[in-house]
Amino acid sequence: MRDQSYYNKTRIIFIFLGGVLLLFLIAPLVGMFLSVKAPLLFDAIKDQQVTSSITRTLLISFIATMFCSLFALPLAYILARKKFPLKGVVEAIIDIPIVIPHSAAGIAVLGFISRDSVVGSVASSLGFNLVGSTAAIGIAMAFVSIPFLITSARDGFAAVPQRLERAAETLGASPFKVFTKISLPLAKRSVVSGMVLMFARGMSEFGAIVIVAYHPMTTPVLIFDRFNSFGLDYARPIAAIFIVVTVVIFLIMRIYQKR
Amino acid sequence: MLLNIKDLICKAGDFILGPVNISLERGSYLALFGPSGSGKSLFLETIAGIRRAESGSIMIDGNECIYLPPQKRPVAMLFQDYALFPHLSVFENIAFALKMRGEDKVHQIKRVDELCRYLSIEKLKSREPDSLSGGEKQRVALARAIAPEPLILLLDEPLSALDENLRGEASELLRKINLLGITIIHVTHNKEEIAGVASQTQHFPPESKF
C-alpha cells in the first residue's frame, strides 16, 4: 500500500515536471501565433519577398541535403561497419559543427570560401564569387546540419544485421550491390530521418548564413531583417508562416517514422 | 575431387582454427559435428569467402578460391537463422542471386517457379519472410541458396532453429537437395541431427591443432 502511494507520488511529480517543460516549449510558440495581427499575416503571405525567401530557403536546403548525402552516406556506412585507427577522432570531427557557435561556424565557412582562400580563388577564376551567393548559403547550411544526417544514417546502418550483408555476398552481390540492395533499404528509415533532420536544420539556420550571405535572404535572415528594421509586429507573421512550414515537415517525418 | 582443402588456417580474434585438411567428392554429403565454439561456423564462412583465411588452400573444381571474394565462389551458404532479407518478398529473396548474376526476368521467374515446386513453397512466393513459420523460412532459404546452382552448399546448424517435430521433415529436404547433385557440408553440434542424412561424418575440427 505504502509502495503504491509512493509510486503514485513519484508519477505525479514526474508528470508535473514534464508538464512544466512542455509548457515552456509550447507557450512562446502559441503566444507568438496569438499575437500575430491578421492584416499583417495576410500582407506577409502576399509579400513577394517572403514567398521567394521561403522557396529559396527550402530549395537550397533540399539541394544541400541531396548533394551532401552522396558523401555522408558512404561515410556513415564506413563508420557503422569498419574499425580503423583514429575512428574516434573522425567521429569527433563530425560532431564539431553541433558544438561550436553557429556564428563561429559562419566565420570559418567565410574564411573557407573567401577570395583569398584556395576554394574561393578557384571559384573566382571560374567567374564565381562564392561570398554572398546561394552556393555560400548551401555551404553554410550543409556545414551546420550534416552531422545530423551522418549520425542518424550511421546508427541505421549499424542496426542492419551484418549476417544479411554476408548472405547477400554469398549470393553473388558485389559490395556496392550489398550496400544498395540490402544495407540502404534496411536502414532507409534512419537515412530518411537523417535527411529530413538535415534539411530542417539547414533551412532554420541563421547564425552561419547571416555571415556568409546576408543577401539573397533566406527566411531566418529575413525575419531578423524585418525585426531589425520594422520591429516585432512585422517579423512575427513571417516567423509564424515559417514555423508552420517547419512543423509540417516534422509532422510528415513523424508520420513516416511511425508507419 | 570437387573440394580439396589443404592446411587451411582461419583466425577470428584470438581464436585460431586449423590447419584443416578435407577432400570431398562431387555429390557427397559431409557432416561435421563438434562442440559449440570449435570454429564450425568460422570454417564454413572461410570456405564461403566471408572471412579471409590466414593461410592454406581451398580448391573447388580444380580452381584455387582462397583469394576469391564470396560473390565469385561457386558456393552457397544456409545460415543458422536463415538470414532472409526482411524487406524482400519470398520471390525476391529466391531470385536475389539470379538478379545479382544479371539473369533476365523470364529466367528468374522460371527458376523460382521450378524451385518452389520442388520444395513445395509455391503458395509462399508473395509473402514477406517475417510472416513465415520456421520450417517455411528454411525452405525459402534453401531455395534461395541453391537458385544459382552452386557446386557446394554449406549448412550452418540448419536444423537447430526448428522444432523437434519439423526436424525429420527438414532432414528429408536436405537429402532431396543433395539428390540434385549439390555437394553439401553440414556442421552441427548435435550428432543425432546428422544420423542417416550424411554420406560421411567427421568430428570437427578434423586434423587440427590449436
Side-chain angles (χ1 to χ4, degrees), chain A residues 163-164 166 169 171-172 181 186, chain B residues 50 70 81 85 87 97 101:
Chain A
R163 65 178 199 292
L164 296 183
R166 289 175 172 175
E169 283 183 63
L171 292 166
K181 301 289 178 193
L186 288 174
Chain B
I50 296 168
D81 62 352
F85 306 133
H87 60 302
R101 282 162 174 77

Side-chain angles (χ1 to χ4, degrees), chain A:
Chain A
M1 200 63 187
R2 209 148 123 224
D3 285 346
Q4 185 65 34
S5 98
Y6 177 76
Y7 174 70
N8 285 344
K9 270 184 204 162
T10 308
R11 198 160 59 173
I12 289 165
I13 292 168
F14 279 22
I15 289 171
F16 172 75
L17 293 173
V20 169
L21 184 74
L22 282 177
L23 208 62
F24 169 70
L25 293 175
I26 294 166
L29 297 175
V30 172
M32 188 190 71
F33 279 98
L34 293 176
S35 312
V36 173
K37 293 186 173 83
L40 291 177
L41 179 66
F42 290 121
D43 285 347
I45 291 169
K46 285 185 283 183
D47 187 340
Q48 184 68 36
Q49 199 183 9
V50 174
T51 50
S52 65
S53 86
I54 290 176
T55 312
R56 179 183 303 117
T57 308
L58 298 182
L59 202 63
I60 297 174
S61 189
F62 178 77
I63 292 168
T65 303
M66 299 313 280
F67 183 71
C68 287
S69 298
L70 291 175
F71 303 90
L73 296 184
L75 177 60
Y77 187 69
I78 288 170
L79 289 172
R81 283 286 177 256
K82 304 288 175 196
K83 286 180 187 162
F84 54 88
L86 303 177
K87 186 177 173 181
V89 175
V90 173
E91 286 177 324
I93 290 170
I94 290 163
D95 287 339
I96 285 175
I98 296 176
V99 295
I100 61 171
H102 286 189
S103 50
I107 297 291
V109 172
L110 185 63
F112 180 67
I113 61 172
S114 64
R115 276 186 189 162
D116 50 1
S117 71
V118 176
V119 175
S121 60
V122 169
S124 191
S125 66
L126 295 170
F128 299 111
N129 182 17
L130 287 176
V131 179
S133 67
T134 49
I137 296 171
I139 292 169
M141 281 180 177
F143 186 84
V144 296
S145 61
I146 205 160
F148 295 95
L149 171 57
I150 296 172
T151 307
S152 180
R154 180 195 61 199
D155 294 347
F157 288 131
V160 174
Q162 260 185 293
R163 65 178 199 292
L164 296 183
E165 295 177 345
R166 289 175 172 175
E169 283 183 63
T170 64
L171 292 166
S174 65
F176 183 69
K177 287 277 184 194
V178 171
F179 178 75
T180 55
K181 301 289 178 193
I182 305 297
S183 317
L184 194 56
L186 288 174
K188 189 174 78 176
R189 198 167 292 238
S190 301
V191 169
V192 173
S193 288
M195 289 172 81
V196 174
L197 272 176
M198 180 180 172
F199 170 69
R201 183 66 200 83
M203 73 181 187
S204 58
E205 176 56 20
F206 168 73
I209 292 173
V210 81
I211 287 171
V212 298
Y214 199 93
H215 292 280
M217 277 190 202
T218 59
T219 313
V221 176
L222 180 66
I223 294 168
F224 172 75
D225 187 70
R226 290 284 169 97
F227 173 68
N228 231 7
S229 311
F230 306 105
L232 195 55
D233 280 350
Y234 287 84
R236 220 180 246 141
I238 309 170
I241 295 167
F242 197 57
I243 286 171
V244 168
V245 172
T246 315
V247 168
V248 166
I249 288 165
F250 263 94
L251 280 179
I252 292 169
M253 188 192 86
R254 289 281 173 212
I255 292 165
Y256 175 80
Q257 276 181 320
K258 296 267 180 206
R259 253 191 326 156

